[in-house]
């Protein structure tokens, strides 16, 4: 049987790397779009890459979501059956500093891919758009957000992704494309970028466990997020494209916790009891070391955003029913997975130092 061909934008990212692994296991030919960088940006996929002079099903191509021609040519040349549009400027905080670039990549970038499919008349391509819980943002009266909930983005990132959400839906209706939105709530892993809060915390606490004397500076500890594991969530990205009809799905754990609770859980797994005192910018987290109180976490206002999504909790009833969504990782196992990997990393760093 002919192998299915997939194109992943954002293949060097957290999700792109797990998705490439999954599709290769499923015997796809996988093509990844990577952008030119002056230093290597392929750390998450190096283990998958084989020199194309040898037999391989994994191919990388330079391109950029801001460059229509590179996208058009790539789709024309590789003729994919499925496109997963995961590429984005994905940091909400950064989107306030670089709003125009965020709109170009995370908003218009999606249009560029859809337009290439339309121009090329490749209507059989199935298209997945990486939509996000950042489309929501305002709790109104409900406790959970689902496919019918009202959107209310709070950041340039959320606004750019809202455009992508709607343009995906418009191309589905107007041109009959098999185009779907996966509205994914926060998902983390040992491959999460180190400037996102969960990984910032697990990297810090594991180094602290091995004796570092740094202090962790954070922003809003009261924000509530619905955290799942990226490995579970990329499987749903694939499943969304295997359905008979193109539809949108919310993927979430259904639980919500504050950033402070994430820290406490990670501390507990490392046998580090963290105590809190003070309020607002004066709040600090401390531990006892050799019987002495030692402050390890402080607040820095630079990590607060001009506007914040205070509360997120998703409801994946539709995905449970139609996609048989059964996440393998509980919250505690997600944090444990991150801690275990980051402990190894911290130990490696320490070994290099001495
Ligand atoms: P990520 O780790 O930040 O990866 C983003 C990817 O996009 C990277 O491969 C990055 O390349 C690439 N990229 C950035 N700018 C680009 C450009 N101009 N042209 C082409 N590629 C570009 O994000 P992630 O956590 O894997 O998330 C994957 C997607 O899901 C993103 O679209 C994100 O917005 C969305 N999403 C994420 C979550 C979550 O909780 N993780 C939840 C909902 C939706 P470099 O490696 O070169 O930077
Ligand atoms: O922030 C608070 C921050 O940057 C989580 C992206 O994948 O998920 C992600 O967006 C919360 C926020 O993720 C720090 O204010 C406190 O309330 O880890 P984050 P995010 O903004 O939820 C969504 C679903 C996406 O689609 C995005 O692409 O933590 N927070 N102190 C902090 N956040 C960061 N980054 N750094 C801090 O020091």
């Amino acid at each position: 049987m002919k192998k299915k061909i997939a194109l992943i934008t954002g293949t060097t990212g957290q999700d792109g790397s797990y998705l490439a692994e999954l599709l290769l296991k499923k015997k796809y030919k996988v093509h990844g779009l990577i952008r030119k960088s002056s230093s290597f940006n392929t750390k998450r996929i190096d283990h998958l890459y084989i020199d194309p002079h040898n037999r391989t099903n994994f191919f990388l191509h330079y391109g950029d979501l801001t460059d229509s021609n590179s996208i058009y040519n790539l789709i024309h040349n590789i003729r994919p059956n499925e496109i997963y549009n995961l590429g984005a400027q994905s940091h909400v905080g950064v989107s306030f500093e670089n709003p125009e670039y965020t709109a170009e990549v995370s908003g218009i970038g999606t249009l560029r891919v859809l337009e290439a499919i339309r121009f090329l008349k490749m209507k059989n391509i199935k298209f997945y758009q990486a939509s996000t819980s950042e489309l929501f943002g305002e709790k109104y009266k409900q406790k959970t957000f689902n496919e019918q909930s009202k959107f209310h983005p709070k950041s340039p990132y959320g606004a750019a992704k809202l455009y992508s959400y709607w343009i995906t839906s418009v191309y589905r209706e107007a041109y009959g494309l098999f185009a779907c939105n996966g509205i994914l709530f926060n998902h983390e892993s040992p491959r999460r970028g180190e400037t996102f809060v969960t990984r910032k915390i697990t990297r810090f606490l594991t180094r602290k466990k091995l004796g570092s004397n740094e202090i962790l500076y954070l922003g809003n500890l009261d924000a509530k997020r619905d955290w799942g594991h990226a490995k579970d969530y990329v499987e749903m990205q694939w499943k969304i494209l295997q359905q008979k009809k193109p539809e949108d799905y919310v993927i979430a754990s259904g639980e919500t916790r504050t950033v402070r609770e994430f820290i406490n859980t990670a501390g507990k797994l490392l046998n580090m009891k963290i105590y809190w005192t003070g309020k607002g910018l004066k709040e600090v987290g401390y531990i006892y070391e050799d019987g002495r109180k030692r402050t390890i976490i402080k607040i820095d206002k630079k990590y607060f955003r001009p506007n914040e999504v205070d509360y997120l909790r998703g409801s994946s009833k539709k995905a449970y029913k139609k996609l048989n969504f059964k996440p393998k990782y509980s919250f505690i196992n997600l944090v444990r997975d991150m801690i275990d990997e980051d402990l190894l990393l911290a130990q490696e760093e320490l070994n290099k130092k001495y």
Side-chain angles (χ1 to χ4, degrees):
M1 226 169 63
K2 225 176 141 204
K3 281 184 195 291
K4 272 194 186 172
I5 300 170
L7 168 63
I8 305 175
T9 71
T11 195
T12 55
Q14 170 187 255
D15 288 13
S17 64
Y18 283 124
L19 182 67
E21 264 169 27
L22 180 82
L23 297 180
L24 287 168
K25 259 195 213 136
K26 292 187 182 296
K27 307 286 177 216
Y28 278 61
K29 267 192 182 170
V30 179
H31 294 263
L33 180 84
I34 61 165
R35 55 184 184 152
K36 176 71 184 82
S37 151
S38 65
S39 48
F40 289 116
N41 58 355
T42 54
K43 196 173 74 187
R44 294 185 179 102
I45 49 169
D46 281 344
H47 62 292
L48 300 176
Y49 188 74
I50 297 167
D51 185 328
H53 298 102
N54 302 307
R55 238 175 114 89
T56 178
N57 285 318
F58 188 46
F59 307 90
L60 296 176
H61 309 268
Y62 282 117
D64 200 294
L65 283 165
T66 59
D67 180 355
S68 306
N69 288 333
S70 66
I71 295 165
Y72 181 95
N73 287 333
L74 192 54
I75 297 176
H76 178 259
N77 291 338
I78 67 177
R79 313 195 80 73
N81 304 97
E82 294 169 11
I83 297 181
Y84 296 85
N85 187 35
L86 310 185
Q89 190 305 92
S90 73
H91 199 286
V92 175
V94 170
S95 79
F96 286 97
E97 285 163 37
N98 299 326
E100 192 179 331
Y101 176 72
T102 303
E104 273 295 339
V105 181
S106 312
I108 305 295
T110 307
L111 175 68
R112 293 188 179 104
V113 181
L114 288 165
E115 269 294 84
I117 298 173
R118 186 173 77 88
F119 267 23
L120 288 163
K121 298 192 172 53
M122 293 171 78
K123 280 200 172 172
N124 290 333
I125 293 179
K126 293 181 172 183
F127 175 81
Y128 173 87
Q129 171 55 23
S131 283
T132 165
S133 49
E134 287 291 308
L135 301 181
F136 304 120
E138 198 59 63
K139 200 172 163 195
Y140 299 110
K141 282 199 177 115
Q142 79 269 37
K143 286 201 173 127
T144 57
F145 297 95
N146 64 22
E147 293 81 3
Q148 271 75 50
S149 301
K150 195 173 163 192
F151 296 137
H152 188 144
K154 296 266 176 154
S155 63
Y157 168 79
K161 283 283 186 175
L162 185 62
Y163 175 79
S164 283
Y165 170 91
W166 279 120
I167 203 68
T168 299
S169 160
V170 166
Y171 273 57
R172 177 169 68 212
E173 284 177 19
Y175 305 117
L177 293 190
F178 194 108
C180 310
N181 285 288
I183 308 172
L184 272 51
F185 282 60
N186 295 56
H187 44 282
E188 319 293 311
S189 75
R191 294 188 196 166
R192 184 56 140 157
E194 294 190 24
T195 60
F196 295 93
V197 81
T198 55
R199 189 80 198 291
K200 195 170 159 183
I201 294 164
T202 58
R203 283 288 277 141
F204 168 80
L205 287 177
T206 49
R207 282 199 298 262
K208 175 65 65 190
K209 182 73 187 171
L210 300 189
S212 118
N213 49 22
E214 297 158 71
I215 288 195
L216 176 65
Y217 289 92
L218 291 172
N220 181 7
L221 302 184
D222 294 314
K224 287 190 145 186
R225 289 290 181 274
D226 175 328
W227 281 297
H229 198 299
K231 264 194 193 172
D232 283 332
Y233 287 30
V234 298
E235 203 179 331
M236 291 308 111
Q237 297 174 353
W238 172 74
K239 271 212 176 153
I240 287 172
L241 291 197
Q242 311 314 309
Q243 301 309 299
K244 284 211 175 89
K245 280 195 334 204
E247 288 182 42
D248 303 331
Y249 294 85
V250 160
I251 307 295
S253 78
E255 297 171 8
T256 189
R257 289 177 179 80
T258 61
V259 172
R260 197 182 292 95
E261 283 174 271
F262 188 98
I263 301 171
N264 290 338
T265 305
K268 213 168 172 183
L269 287 171
L270 286 160
N271 283 325
M272 285 164 79
K273 167 99 181 113
I274 299 163
Y275 300 86
W276 299 95
T277 185
K279 279 214 158 120
L281 292 178
K282 297 255 165 58
E283 184 167 5
V284 297
Y286 61 92
I287 54 170
Y288 282 98
E289 234 172 23
D290 306 325
R292 285 174 49 199
K293 196 168 152 181
R294 199 176 290 279
T295 295
I296 61 164
I297 300 168
K298 287 186 178 175
I299 306 299
D300 184 335
K301 64 175 185 313
K302 88 169 180 196
Y303 294 114
F304 283 81
R305 294 159 185 184
N307 205 8
E308 174 70 292
V309 173
D310 295 318
Y311 173 93
L312 284 173
R313 182 176 170 200
S315 165
S316 277
K317 269 194 193 145
K318 180 177 173 185
Y320 290 137
K321 216 169 141 196
K322 291 201 167 181
L323 307 178
N324 198 22
F325 173 45
K326 281 197 201 97
K328 295 184 189 75
Y329 285 86
S330 60
F331 176 72
I332 189 88
N333 285 338
L334 160 69
V335 186
R336 188 175 283 121
D337 192 28
M338 295 177 75
I339 289 284
D340 287 351
E341 290 286 325
D342 280 342
L343 264 176
L344 293 176
L345 197 56
Q347 188 60 61
E348 261 173 43
E349 283 167 355
L350 211 64
N351 294 346
K352 269 191 205 146
K353 216 163 149 192
Y354 298 107

